[in-house]
Amino acid sequence: MSRPVLFVLDDDAGVVRALRGDLGRRFSQDFRVLGESSAAAGLATLRRLAGQDEPVALLIVDHQMSEMPGLDFLARAHDLHPSAKRVLLVERDYSVRSPVVQAMTLGQADYHLTKPWLLEQDLYREVGEFLADWAKDQESGFDLFTIVGDLAGRGTNELRELLIRFNVPFRFVPAGSEPGRSLLQRGGLEGGALPVMIRHDGYTMVEPTPSRIVEAVGGSTHTDLSQCDVAIVGAGPAGLAAAVYAASEGLQTVVLEETVSGGQAGSSPMIRNYPGFAHGVSGHELTRRACEQAWIFGAHMVFSQAVTGLDDVGGERVVRLADGHQVAARSVILAPGIAWRSLGVPRIEALVGSGVFYGAAGSETRAMDGRDVFVVGAGNSAGQAALHLARHARQVTMLVRRDSLAHSMSDYLVKEIEATAAITVRNSTEVIDAHGDGHLEGLTLCDRGRPEQARADALFVLIGGEPCTRWLPGAIQLERGYILTGRDVAADGAHPSRWPLDRAPLPLETSVPGVFAAGDARYRSIKRVASAVGDGATAVRVAHEYLAGGTAEASPGGTGRGRPRFGWEHDGG
């Protein structure tokens, strides 16, 4: 196959020549750079390339052409080359009238470039990023693991989802296929339990646990540290931001995560409103970078390790882990996040992993080609999942309990959904039952009290979550499961476990001195990635103040510096 094409179109032949020349000097070793100066010639060239099955990586098209608007050309060109990334070429204009604003909001373009451009700062850096994103969408040339399993099996789907979240390249082979039977026979595993996971070097695991998978890809599931300056519970955006700041400022830091890093944000296919990413960033990529950054600064990252308790031993906060290990910390930052809220319908719960999925299951997206998919939810996560699924599914139907998406979803997402033909929004509609023998086949919907049947290949449930705080001791004050901090902490008899010191709690400090909370599990937190990151950074700042001894600790009525003891009875969250 010939080299992929970078295609340039502009009415101004001089712009085409300049852009072809600049792109060619940097990218010609791996790509062919072609260009035209009329829409008709451009479409003819793209038809010829499509007829010869030659791949196009980027479509760089001027937004204002005499023959045809640039967005119209991109739409027609994308029909010919659906895997190509669409780049709108515009004059620099930061007003709301800029064509980029609407094009990005409505999903009519993937990126933009401005003219005139600076080579290193603009063109080469940005085009390099566009091409990296294009390459991610292509078939991987190397698979670290091969999964042999039953596509409808819950264990298989959970395994695939975990590998997606951990960014591990893999291929799936159905156990009943000829290649699948051959792989199982070669390993002497015919008729045995599924799924089977085979590493590229032949190392084989049957029904692997999350911890074995993490270890197989080089992650750590244990820590040899018994003491540290700060223990961080949770590796979502808040926990990772806290880890970056704590470790970079010289604090010995341990991060304890029950699964893998990312939290809810890690499963989001595209986050467009995080500062610094004009074209958006996947939640996985954002949290992966933060995890790497924390590790480089010296944070001890421990995955697939649940925290089961928190104690006060001799004035130190002791974090107890599921494997029996304990870590004594001078301070603790709680960032456990939230878990997806269940619909509570028995036949839906029975099909989880077999057509029913909580959250945006990235491993299932490509399997939705030509399928009828339903998304339950009206928040940003539901909107992002629907848009991502619409790239593959025949039809995506959003089921919304209220009368409008506007109550709970960002305006830019509402507009993008309205402009996506493959998405239908059904307001005032709920799911009350599911049907299928071993896998989802249909749903019973209730539209304003009227039940109806609907064929369904998949159901994605994104209806918010519950804070992961049930393991916390009774000394940590909670409100509906969310952790109270700062001025919300009760200092009198309003709560069974009152604030024990003369001083007021620091910002983000819980009802236990030296224990702080950040992110979605904190009461009154703003459920946005940027807010969680800010929480994590702030928690480290106030933890510094606490560790520096600037906040004298004394039980009520006293003046001593000794840390008080308090009741640690578990209250059930």
Side-chain angles (χ1 to χ4, degrees), residues 340 357-360 375-379 381-382 385 460-464:
W340 291 113
F357 308 95
Y358 280 92
V375 175
V376 178
S381 295
F460 292 85
V461 183
L462 300 97
I463 55 173

Side-chain angles (χ1 to χ4, degrees), residues 252-324:
Q252 190 171 51
T253 304
V254 175
V255 180
L256 305 165
E257 167 56 46
E258 186 173 3
T259 55
V260 295
S261 62
Q264 280 200 42
S267 64
S268 179
M270 182 60 66
I271 298 171
R272 283 194 53 214
N273 57 357
Y274 189 80
F277 294 89
H279 301 117
V281 60
S282 74
H284 172 268
E285 179 63 13
L286 183 66
T287 54
R288 182 195 67 80
R289 292 185 186 190
C291 187
E292 289 280 316
Q293 192 175 16
W295 170 68
I296 288 172
F297 278 128
H300 296 252
M301 311 298 296
V302 183
F303 303 109
S304 192
Q305 187 62 257
V307 175
T308 59
L310 182 62
D311 297 313
D312 173 49
V313 179
E316 285 190 305
R317 285 69 179 123
V318 176
V319 181
R320 290 187 279 111
L321 308 181
D323 66 355

Side-chain angles (χ1 to χ4, degrees), residues 325-388:
H325 193 77
Q326 296 183 347
V327 178
R330 296 172 62 207
S331 64
V332 174
I333 296 175
L334 303 173
I338 59 178
W340 291 113
R341 187 172 291 119
S342 168
L343 285 175
V345 179
R347 284 202 281 193
I348 289 179
E349 301 308 312
L351 293 172
V352 170
S354 299
V356 175
F357 308 95
Y358 280 92
S363 64
E364 292 304 314
T365 303
R366 289 186 180 277
M368 294 301 114
D369 283 335
R371 307 279 184 172
D372 292 315
V373 179
F374 287 76
V375 175
V376 178
N380 281 6
S381 295
Q384 291 161 350
L387 288 165
H388 192 60

Side-chain angles (χ1 to χ4, degrees), residues 469-544:
T469 56
R470 291 184 178 273
W471 60 276
L472 287 172
I476 302 289
Q477 294 181 13
L478 304 176
E479 176 68 30
R480 299 192 305 276
Y482 289 89
I483 305 168
L484 295 177
T485 60
R487 63 184 180 182
D488 289 318
V489 171
D492 51 26
H495 193 281
S497 179
R498 65 186 180 88
W499 175 249
L501 304 180
D502 288 336
R503 68 169 175 84
L506 296 166
L508 303 190
E509 192 169 24
T510 70
S511 53
V512 175
V515 178
F516 305 87
D520 288 354
R522 183 177 65 82
Y523 184 62
R524 298 187 194 275
S525 65
I526 300 172
K527 306 301 186 285
R528 292 290 186 270
V529 176
S531 300
V533 169
D535 261 14
T538 303
V540 172
R541 172 66 188 85
V542 291
H544 264 300

